[in-house]
Structures are given as structure tokens and as C-alpha cells.
Amino acid sequence: MVMGSQEENDTSRALDKVNAIILFIDLVDSSKYKIQYKDDPTKWIGGMKSFAQYFTDVIKTYGGITVKYIGDEVMAAFIIDDKEKEKIVIGQVVGFLASLTRYEQQLTEIFGEQKRIKIAVDFGEVYQVEYQSSISEADQDTILDFLGTPVDRCARIAKFATPSTILASVYFTEISDSLTWINLGVPELKGIGYEPVFQYMPQDNADIVILGFQKLVDEDGEEITINQFFKKTI
């Protein structure tokens, strides 16, 4: 059986590398939502579709690409392929992040009950990869994906976020100095190593955001404070 041409299977070929801002946007408590409507799967499935479509549209509005849907999570990328456009792209992402409260309000209207999200963001050089996917041989689509350390690091950082908050790597904070960030510590990110993690501090909501980070859950399911968490992982 022929699995592909020599050219297609040649992994030594040059890969396309681009600088990109990576985001993971997660719908909070989606598991509870599924359980709530376990007898009516059309309800929670419809909700997940609405969530995914909502952010697909918002991300596009800000000039980004929706890369993939991972259950209750959306991965997005904002490509910086031109030095002259770098400030514009960064400004678009800053605008996106600053609108978190509005997203939650609109999602609450869509779902008919309170909904919250959490976001992780990172920046760096990633590999741009294309896959061929098809339902039938006559219907082929190209799927764009991004791979690399910034993607993995962002996914790890996302695990630490709590409702209504935004976390970032130091690499993104360095290019978004128009936003206010606080250093939460230097946890160990699985497969990455020790990396500083920062929290976005909206000027009009700083106290509430800090309170949102007072409690995390450790691997044993016990609630611990943010400082205990970082001490435990170092």
C-alpha cells in the first residue's frame, strides 16, 4: 500500500516558521453544563457549538485565525509575518484580551445563564503545518495547524487559569507593555521547564481579578493559594 510520495514523506524538507501569538480560550464549568443537560444532549451540544462559533467570529474580527476546537476550548493564532505589521497585530490581540468581560456578558445572553471564560496567551516562533483532511476523496480540505514550544507552553499555562482571568508567558508580556501584568511566580510547566507566569490586570477590575487567583486546586484535588501552588512546584 502506498502511503504517499517520497516528497510527502520527506520530513527533512524545510518547514514554514512564523512568529505568532497563540491563545487558548476555555469555557469554564462546561462539564457541569453537560451534566445539567445530560437528558437533553441537543442543549449542551448546541451550547458548545454556539461557544465555538461565537469565538470564531470574534477572533476573525480581530484579525486572528481559529486553529482548532478542543472540546470546550478554542485555540487561536495571530500571525506576525511582517515586521511592519507587528504593532498592528499586537494591538489587535491587546484589544481582544481587554474585552474579556464583554465576551462573558454576551455568552451569558447566548446560554441564558452565567458563563465565564479563561484565556492563556503566548508568543514565539512556531511551525505552520498543513494537513489534508477529507470526508471523501472528492471533498478535500486543507487544515492549518501550528506546532512548537509557544503552543505547548500556552497550553500548560492555560491549566493554571481560573474563571474570568488571563494568564501569559513572559514572551507575550514583553511585546504587550501597554497592558498591566503581575508576575505570579515561576511554576514548572510539564515538558517545558520552569517559566514565569503573568496575570493580566485590567485597570478597572484589579481587585476582583486578584481575588480570583487566591485559590487553585492541586493534583490531589485540594484547594491551595497561588503562593502555595508555586512553592509546591518549584
Side-chain angles (χ1 to χ4, degrees), residues 13-26:
R13 288 180 301 159
L15 295 172
D16 291 331
K17 292 190 290 186
V18 295
N19 286 322
I21 298 170
I22 303 296
L23 286 86
F24 282 93
I25 307 154
D26 185 44

Side-chain angles (χ1 to χ4, degrees), residues 6-231:
Q6 176 67 31
E7 182 181 7
E8 290 172 335
N9 290 323
D10 186 2
T11 56
S12 67
R13 288 180 301 159
L15 295 172
D16 291 331
K17 292 190 290 186
V18 295
N19 286 322
I21 298 170
I22 303 296
L23 286 86
F24 282 93
I25 307 154
D26 185 44
L27 180 65
V28 176
D29 287 338
S30 63
S31 295
K32 291 182 180 179
Y33 182 68
K34 293 176 183 177
I35 293 173
Q36 180 182 353
Y37 294 104
K38 64 180 180 180
D39 295 328
D40 184 7
T42 58
K43 179 73 173 180
W44 66 262
I45 290 175
M48 294 299 102
K49 288 178 63 178
S50 295
F51 165 74
Q53 187 60 58
Y54 172 80
F55 273 107
T56 296
D57 295 339
V58 172
I59 290 163
K60 183 178 180 180
T61 298
Y62 281 93
I65 301 169
T66 299
V67 181
K68 65 179 73 174
Y69 310 105
I70 313 166
D72 58 359
E73 192 172 52
V74 175
M75 175 183 168
F78 291 76
I79 300 173
I80 302 176
D81 55 4
D82 186 333
K83 191 67 176 178
E84 294 181 359
K85 296 179 181 178
E86 181 175 321
K87 289 185 178 180
I88 295 175
V89 176
I90 293 171
Q92 290 170 327
V93 175
V94 166
F96 176 91
L97 296 176
S99 301
L100 181 146
T101 300
R102 176 167 60 85
Y103 304 148
E104 293 187 327
Q105 291 172 345
Q106 292 178 345
L107 286 172
T108 295
E109 292 178 7
I110 291 171
F111 280 82
E113 57 186 78
Q114 184 178 28
K115 288 299 167 192
R116 303 170 77 185
I117 60 172
K118 49 188 180 181
I119 300 174
V121 56
D122 206 334
F123 167 74
E125 189 175 67
V126 296
Y127 294 98
Q128 185 173 299
V129 183
E130 292 184 355
Y131 302 101
Q132 292 298 323
S133 176
S134 65
I135 298 174
S136 66
E137 293 184 1
D139 181 24
Q140 291 193 343
D141 292 313
T142 298
I143 297 175
L144 184 65
D145 199 1
F146 296 89
L147 305 174
T149 299
V151 177
D152 296 338
R153 187 170 54 226
C154 191
R156 302 293 185 272
I157 291 174
K159 303 295 184 183
F160 301 148
T162 56
S164 303
T165 54
I166 299 171
L167 295 186
S169 71
V170 65
Y171 307 98
F172 179 73
T173 65
E174 288 176 346
I175 65 170
S176 58
D177 53 8
S178 63
L179 299 178
T180 301
W181 300 93
I182 60 168
N183 190 334
L184 296 179
V186 189
E188 182 178 12
L189 306 181
K190 185 178 180 181
I192 304 294
Y194 294 97
E195 293 276 359
V197 174
F198 292 79
Q199 174 195 344
Y200 168 50
M201 296 291 293
Q203 295 299 317
D204 61 345
N205 208 22
D207 292 339
I208 294 176
V209 175
I210 287 179
L211 289 174
F213 270 89
Q214 294 306 306
K215 288 186 177 181
L216 290 174
V217 177
D218 66 11
E219 59 187 6
D220 299 318
E222 298 179 358
E223 286 191 345
I224 53 178
T225 65
I226 189 79
N227 290 332
Q228 289 174 329
F229 178 82
F230 286 124
K231 286 179 181 178

